[in-house]
Amino acid sequence: MDQLLAMRVFCAIVEAQGFSAAAERLDSTHSSVSRQLKNLEAALGVQLLNRTTRRFSLTAAGQRYYEACIDILARVEAATQAMAHEHQRVAGTLRVSVPLAIGTLELDDWLPAFQTRYPDIRLDLSCSDEMVDLVADGFDLALRISQPLGDSSLVARTLVESDIVLVASPVYLARHGLPATPHALAQHELIAFSGSQTATEWVIEPARGEAVHLPLEGRLMTDAITAAYSATLAGVGIAAFTWNTVRPALARGHLVHVLPGCTLGKRFYYALYPHTRHVAPKVRAFVDYMSEHYRAR
């Protein structure tokens, strides 16, 4: 049995939601696709799909195997493309949708080195926290900061996970003092970012002990992460950002990490792009670069 072929067939069945649709996608036949799945299940010794006459669903083992297959096939594809395009120039216009945090607040931390490495890529950045339809809106890929993503018709590559931390400016802390406990935050001005799941309350997780639920009742709420960041630098109050966003400002002393033993959970940085047999070199280059950039931090 061709293991990689069987993996591709299995993934096609799952993604196409059926044997006939998978066969059409693979330019094969229903019987061939069914036989590949049967042989794969026999070789693994587990049932991957629950099948009835009208529908099917993944078993728990099938879900785990599908996720593993996606990762393995992506690596095989990446290795193949790396060899195929080893001497090919990476060039062209790359249209990318990025959230405001990456496209503005983090820009100086990643863009100069990217342009130095890939001088023949013309980067067309659309900076917005709104979700976009990659295909309909003409994007090559999108970067997103979110909680773990569910099922998607897109390839979702995790670039990095980042703690959400509390920060304030030295000016603000000089006036109001540094809170020593999560409960002490109730006596401070808190800046709420209404574009996140933490718009109405912060759930503060200390290294030890129970989480503290803190209602956000400060005098400033904004739906723009850039406005929240500027207000924090200006000394308006304490705000929550991913560590990746505020790391440079912390290093320069423009912001101070508040309650360093606590977090407000995590967010995941994703690169999203359509499923395709051949990922364009410019897309692969950008995704690989951003993954390298974040993991080095």
Side-chain angles (χ1 to χ4, degrees):
M1 180 183 68
D2 186 331
Q3 186 80 13
L4 285 177
L5 175 60
M7 287 181 173
R8 290 190 178 99
V9 170
F10 172 60
C11 289
I13 294 171
V14 174
E15 292 162 7
Q17 293 290 300
F19 289 79
S20 297
E24 183 176 349
R25 174 185 291 190
L26 298 169
D27 195 21
S28 183
T29 64
H30 185 288
S31 60
S32 177
V33 167
S34 179
R35 184 169 59 255
Q36 285 281 357
L37 177 64
K38 181 178 180 181
N39 292 341
L40 180 61
E41 289 181 325
L44 295 174
V46 296
Q47 184 176 345
L48 300 174
L49 297 177
N50 293 312
R51 298 182 285 280
T52 67
T53 56
R54 294 188 176 182
R55 62 186 300 274
F56 75 88
S57 62
L58 284 166
T59 63
Q63 180 65 45
R64 292 193 298 272
Y65 191 69
Y66 172 70
E67 293 171 356
C69 285
I70 289 294
D71 181 64
I72 291 168
L73 292 174
R75 290 173 184 270
V76 171
E77 181 72 13
T80 301
Q81 288 200 21
M83 295 300 99
H85 299 289
E86 186 174 7
H87 302 293
Q88 180 177 327
R89 188 178 65 159
V90 179
T93 297
L94 182 65
R95 191 156 188 253
V96 186
S97 171
V98 298
L100 284 168
I102 295 177
T104 57
L105 305 182
E106 300 180 23
L107 193 71
D108 62 340
D109 206 28
W110 64 266
L111 181 59
F114 176 80
Q115 292 189 315
T116 298
R117 183 181 297 186
Y118 299 106
D120 296 316
I121 288 183
R122 180 178 181 273
L123 201 57
D124 181 355
L125 286 182
S126 175
C127 303
S128 171
D129 291 326
E130 298 295 324
M131 295 298 294
V132 297
D133 185 320
L134 293 186
V135 176
D137 296 334
F139 289 100
D140 294 295
L141 74 151
L143 302 184
R144 285 292 173 263
I145 305 172
S146 72
Q147 294 181 330
L149 291 176
D151 294 337
S152 172
S153 60
L154 302 171
V155 176
R157 177 171 169 183
T158 304
L159 301 176
V160 73
E161 63 180 69
S162 182
D163 285 333
I164 303 174
V165 297
L166 297 173
V167 296
S169 73
V171 171
Y172 174 85
L173 295 175
R175 291 199 307 262
H176 300 277
L178 187 67
T181 68
H183 293 286
L185 289 169
Q187 308 305 316
H188 284 262
E189 289 294 335
L190 307 180
I191 300 172
F193 173 47
S194 59
S196 76
Q197 293 90 342
T198 59
T200 58
E201 72 169 7
W202 285 346
V203 181
I204 304 169
E205 303 171 3
R208 297 180 180 178
E210 296 183 357
V212 175
H213 291 253
L214 185 69
L216 286 177
E217 299 175 346
R219 291 184 293 170
L220 176 64
M221 175 179 287
T222 175
D223 63 355
I225 193 73
T226 48
Y229 187 82
S230 295
T232 308
L233 287 175
V236 172
I238 299 173
F241 301 93
T242 63
W243 175 259
N244 285 316
T245 294
V246 296
R247 185 195 61 80
L250 291 170
R252 292 191 290 263
H254 296 168
L255 293 174
V256 176
H257 193 178
V258 175
L259 296 176
C262 300
T263 74
L264 278 75
K266 295 181 181 292
R267 290 294 180 269
F268 293 80
Y269 283 56
Y270 291 102
L272 305 173
Y273 50 93
H275 284 279
T276 179
R277 182 176 294 275
H278 299 295
V279 179
K282 61 184 179 181
V283 172
R284 180 69 63 187
F286 185 80
V287 173
D288 287 346
Y289 171 83
M290 295 304 289
S291 179
E292 175 187 322
H293 162 74
Y294 283 120
R295 294 188 185 280
R297 295 299 181 264

